[in-house]
Amino acid sequence: MPNSNAKFHRSHRGGQEAGRRELVSRSLQSAEHCLEDQDYGTAYAHYLLVLNLAPELKTSVKETFQFTLFKWAEELDSLARIQDLFNCYEQALELYPNDEVICNSMGEHLFRMGFRDEAAGYFHKAVKLNPDFADAKENFYRVANWLVERWHFIMLNDAKRNLTYLKAIESAVHSGCKSVLDIGTGTGILSMFAKKAGASSVYACELSKTMYELACDVVAANNMEREIKLLHLKSLDIEIPKHIPERVSLVVTETVDAGLFGEGIVESLIHAWEHLLLQPK
């Protein structure tokens, strides 16, 4: 009897495998016919089925799947079926999470729809996956020009201003302020000043996803990614100990420019004083 059961299970598994292969084969044929008829939506559905049933085919059908996805996305875009378009890209990225071409294409759709910060995230990921991907690099630089205010470049190249900040931070750290919070870190320059001055704990928050990712790159390029904790958060949303383990002894910020009140810096500093900064004894 045990041998009979074993044979039955082997036969059952063999039948299931044969059925899977048959369904995959038929779905591939159907997808190809749909592509010939320019029925991209149905072709896309067939490829989703194939890739879920036969993940081992991911490499062999990758280029055709990409082509089908992009064509179907164009149709969805023209029909203003935005949620369906995003759903398709989410499905595609679940199957190919490290595909720079799909990431770049998703970013292009987001950019055209006005979601520039989100688009920058996908362009940035595509460049990370393939630093030689020219289209993604061009797209990332283009969207960065939209998102990074011009005064960032002016400030970064203002040697006198930067030196003043450096000396002020060094003075505060050397006088005993060993834990630092940088509000609106931008490129992370003030956080790095604090760490180089000798601060034991440095935390930095940045609301813009583009600037946050840029700060991550800059900090990593300076070998400080383990020494500076970067948060993609609005300073008003920082909680202790959820985001940072302690109240800090120094808050620094470089968000003061012509848009002082528009940037909400007053509210941010009040919140930092009341909830994040060590109170004087």
Side-chain angles (χ1 to χ4, degrees):
M1 185 67 67
N3 288 337
S4 297
N5 286 337
K7 288 179 180 178
F8 171 78
H9 288 303
R10 284 197 298 271
S11 176
H12 181 65
R13 285 196 297 270
Q16 284 184 322
E17 177 60 21
R20 182 187 74 92
R21 287 199 300 267
E22 178 66 19
L23 182 55
V24 168
S25 176
R26 289 186 178 183
S27 292
L28 280 173
Q29 291 175 5
S30 296
E32 291 169 3
H33 290 317
C34 289
L35 286 178
E36 291 173 2
D37 296 335
Q38 297 185 355
D39 182 359
Y40 300 116
T42 307
Y44 176 75
H46 279 298
Y47 278 119
L48 281 183
L49 178 61
V50 167
L51 290 168
N52 279 287
L53 287 174
E56 66 273 14
L57 297 179
K58 282 185 179 180
T59 301
S60 61
V61 304
K62 179 178 176 180
E63 289 187 9
T64 310
F65 175 76
Q66 288 175 343
F67 172 81
T68 306
L69 167 67
F70 301 155
K71 285 295 187 179
W72 179 225
E74 288 176 7
E75 283 192 24
L76 292 173
D77 193 7
S78 67
L79 296 169
R81 292 172 55 183
I82 306 307
Q83 190 57 56
D84 289 335
L85 185 152
F86 288 151
N87 289 341
C88 286
Y89 273 97
E90 287 175 5
Q91 292 166 339
L93 286 170
E94 284 179 8
L95 292 166
Y96 296 97
N98 296 318
D99 189 289
E100 69 274 18
V101 178
I102 295 176
C103 286
N104 183 64
S105 180
M106 175 66 158
E108 289 175 339
H109 281 286
L110 286 165
F111 184 77
R112 285 196 294 270
M113 293 173 191
F115 300 107
R116 292 169 182 161
D117 211 11
E118 292 82 356
Y122 281 98
F123 294 145
H124 183 260
K125 182 179 179 180
V127 174
K128 282 283 191 179
L129 291 167
N130 182 0
D132 297 324
F133 190 4
D135 287 350
K137 286 197 290 187
E138 182 180 344
N139 283 332
F140 180 70
Y141 294 142
R142 179 160 56 101
V143 75
N145 283 332
W146 282 91
L147 292 171
V148 181
E149 299 289 347
R150 294 299 174 188
W151 49 265
H152 273 289
F153 300 108
I154 297 172
M155 289 194 303
L156 286 172
N157 288 283
D158 188 339
K160 184 177 180 181
R161 178 190 177 105
N162 292 337
L163 183 60
T164 301
Y165 268 104
L166 174 60
K167 289 181 177 180
I169 291 171
E170 285 179 338
S171 176
V173 171
H174 294 165
S175 68
C177 296
K178 296 299 184 181
S179 54
V180 181
L181 171 64
D182 179 6
I183 295 177
T185 191
T187 59
I189 187 171
L190 298 188
S191 296
M192 291 187 291
F193 283 170
K195 196 63 196 178
K196 287 182 177 179
S200 57
S201 303
V202 180
Y203 313 101
C205 64
E206 176 57 55
L207 181 58
S208 164
K209 186 175 182 181
T210 303
M211 293 306 299
Y212 164 77
E213 291 178 343
L214 180 60
C216 289
D217 285 347
V218 172
V219 168
N222 285 272
N223 299 313
M224 292 187 182
E225 65 269 31
R226 294 184 180 179
E227 302 176 63
I228 297 172
K229 183 174 182 179
L230 289 161
L231 302 166
H232 180 213
L233 279 175
K234 191 175 183 180
S235 62
L236 295 171
D237 295 330
I238 296 176
E239 298 176 17
I240 298 172
K242 182 178 179 180
H243 300 114
I244 61 176
E246 61 186 336
R247 281 179 176 260
V248 298
S249 52
L250 176 66
V251 171
V252 297
T253 185
E254 201 175 10
T255 53
V256 180
D257 77 320
L260 173 62
F261 297 101
E263 293 186 27
I265 188 61
V266 174
E267 291 85 351
S268 296
L269 292 177
I270 290 174
H271 175 78
W273 172 261
E274 293 177 345
H275 302 285
L276 307 175
L277 193 64
L278 284 170
Q279 299 299 313
K281 296 180 180 179

